[in-house]
Amino acid sequence: MRSLATRYALATTPAEIVEVACLTALSSLGDAQVDTLPLNNAIVQENWSGGHSPNPTWSSVGSNGILLDLRRLDSIAVSSDGSVASVGSGARWGDVYAALDSHDAAVIGARLPTIGVGGSILGGGYHHLSNEFGLAADNAKNFEVVLSNGSLVNANSGEHSDLFWALKGGGPNFGVVTRYDLYTVPVHDAWVQMTVYAPDDAPRLLSAFDEWQRSQAADSKSNADLIISLDFVVLILVCSEPRAQPPAVFQPFSAVTPFQLAIPPTNLTLHQIMTILGSTASGTPARHDYRGHSSRIDTNLTQQVYSFWREKALQVRQATGASQTFVVQHVSQHLIDQASKNGGNALALARGPQQWWTTTIDWERAEDDDLVRSVSIEITRKWERLARERGLHLPFVFMNDASRDQSPLASYGLRNLQRLKQVSKLYDPSQMFQMLQNGGFLLSKS
Ligand SMILES: Cc1cc2nc3c(=O)[nH]c(=O)nc-3n(C[C@H](O)[C@H](O)[C@H](O)COP(=O)(O)OP(=O)(O)OC[C@H]3O[C@@H](n4cnc5c(N)ncnc54)[C@H](O)[C@@H]3O)c2cc1C
């Protein structure tokens, strides 16, 4: 039988090269760590539950390749003084909040339990408490990373500070993160309310949302999530401390009457809030996409784009059954300022309050892909054109909401893009992560 070295030398096709790579991994790590043919397809193709990016090939390899499944890197520990939570990158946020709940601790993560820790922090990480404490990445104390040469390094403000900066928003370009050490935040119980409205209420809710965005600076503890679908609108209000009464800044929303009080005003732990929100999340149709865009806050602009979106999304649903959402996320100056307390991040956010739009799209048939995706693509084009005309355009694209054809890394601006490329060349001189990764927002493509 030929040795692995000989087989490697003789391998020419991608399938042969992958086979040798898999056998090499098997011989050095053993079959408890490495699955080869026949594969457990539930693991290889499982998506939308960790592996949460819907972009094809971001967390899957198709028929040729090696999938690094990090799910067993799921340890969660809190330092003895409670100030830092060390979280394995294969954990999901639901597990993290559950584990921290028993320590009376919390971190800034993402808002649904099924989202993976690994990718969401590398893209930034937006949470209900971000307007007060910043993005998840801005609350990282240390990243433990395996580099392309196999060495394990810790990147933090003292060691490898350039890599530390780059990992905060720079995505999967520098190494495989195996552990995140995250500063905990002093929040346990939070005030929450979730209401559901008829779709006809969406324009009035968007106006209320804009009014709240303008007054939010006065109360960075408040956060509102507005999720508009074709059939109903969900409003989730969170305040990062227990309250007996709704915070006064939420007053604009009281002008619109909900048809359902899904979570009556109450105080819950962050873990309880996440569990409830997870139970209301949609099922798992076969195909998914999302898309991101940003602009300054302007009611007329938002309303105009929303009515365009609704018309298009209804037409496409009639033709394909696709469901789509229209979601606006508030980003305050207070959020932006939190980056600088911890060595900065790669995002190069413009100063001043802004809104990050996103959509989640679910549909069934591959033949509908182009038609279904055309709605969000047209929306972002229209949004950009209208915003440019009014001086309200922002180039930033949030990586965690970005679709396969968007370029979040380029949206950070030339200076930061070049700095990210320098860090990549320093820590990955062979550019392995650019050449051998199947997908992902790569610097080589930005
Ligand atoms: C319904 C829904 C709700 C969402 N809500 C939020 C939210 O509240 N806040 C928010 O910020 N985002 C949110 N997201 C976006 C989410 O953060 C991104 O999809 C993110 O990429 C998910 O990370 P993951 O590890 O689950 O994904 P994956 O698909 O596994 O990974 C995404 C990318 O990161 C890379 N990657 C993953 N782990 C590592 C690692 N350890 N080291 C190096 N590279 C790695 C992968 O190679 C891939 O390129 C939401 C997405 C959906 C679909």
Side-chain angles (χ1 to χ4, degrees), residues 50 87-94 96 114-123 180 182:
V87 179
S89 60
R92 293 174 187 147
W93 285 113
V96 175
T114 46
I115 299 169
V117 168
S120 56
I121 297 186
L122 295 174
Y180 297 88
L182 305 171

Side-chain angles (χ1 to χ4, degrees), residues 7-46:
R7 290 181 69 172
Y8 177 69
L10 294 175
T12 48
T13 66
E16 286 167 350
I17 294 167
V18 165
E19 193 188 350
V20 177
C22 289
L23 290 172
T24 307
L26 187 62
S27 81
S28 39
L29 298 172
D31 59 9
Q33 299 292 339
V34 180
D35 274 354
T36 52
L37 290 172
L39 293 174
N40 177 345
N41 272 325
I43 291 175
V44 176
Q45 293 176 6
E46 188 179 323

Side-chain angles (χ1 to χ4, degrees), residues 303-369:
Q303 299 279 4
Q304 219 173 324
V305 184
Y306 166 70
S307 51
F308 182 74
W309 170 84
R310 183 165 169 82
E311 192 187 320
K312 297 271 166 202
L314 278 168
Q315 282 166 9
V316 167
R317 179 167 76 173
Q318 209 165 19
T320 66
S323 66
Q324 323 215 7
T325 59
F326 185 102
V327 178
V328 194
Q329 303 164 110
H330 177 61
V331 173
S332 62
Q333 182 58 46
H334 195 265
L335 179 158
I336 297 165
D337 288 341
Q338 301 315 299
S340 56
K341 71 183 180 193
N342 194 18
N345 63 36
L347 304 183
L349 296 175
R351 286 191 63 74
Q354 51 197 272
Q355 53 187 7
W356 296 353
W357 175 81
T358 189
T359 180
T360 312
I361 313 160
D362 301 334
W363 72 104
E364 296 286 348
R365 296 186 304 259
E367 60 267 34
D368 294 331
D369 285 9

Side-chain angles (χ1 to χ4, degrees), residues 48 50-53 58-59 70 89 110-112 115-116 118-120 122 125-126 172 175-177 290 398 400 437 440:
W48 210 235
H52 218 62
S53 170
W58 263 228
S59 55
L70 304 180
S89 60
R111 290 164 292 178
L112 285 180
I115 299 169
S120 56
L122 295 174
Y126 184 92
V176 178
V177 180
Y290 50 27
F398 183 33
N400 285 0
Q437 277 199 89

Side-chain angles (χ1 to χ4, degrees), residues 202-203 205-211 213-214 226 228 295-310 326-329 354-357 379 382-383 386-387 390 392:
L205 284 162
L206 280 169
S207 296
F209 191 82
D210 277 4
E211 205 178 324
Q213 291 199 90
R214 282 193 294 274
L226 185 61
I228 303 175
S295 76
R296 295 289 180 202
I297 299 159
D298 181 273
T299 306
N300 289 338
L301 175 68
T302 319
Q303 299 279 4
Q304 219 173 324
V305 184
Y306 166 70
S307 51
F308 182 74
W309 170 84
R310 183 165 169 82
F326 185 102
V327 178
V328 194
Q329 303 164 110
Q354 51 197 272
Q355 53 187 7
W356 296 353
W357 175 81
I379 298 307
K382 182 162 180 107
W383 197 311
L386 292 177
R390 297 164 200 193
L392 300 167

Side-chain angles (χ1 to χ4, degrees), residues 270-291:
L270 293 178
H271 165 55
Q272 288 168 326
I273 294 173
M274 180 170 265
T275 305
I276 296 174
L277 297 186
S279 70
T280 62
S282 71
T284 55
R287 308 180 83 74
H288 309 281
D289 194 16
Y290 50 27
R291 195 169 190 83

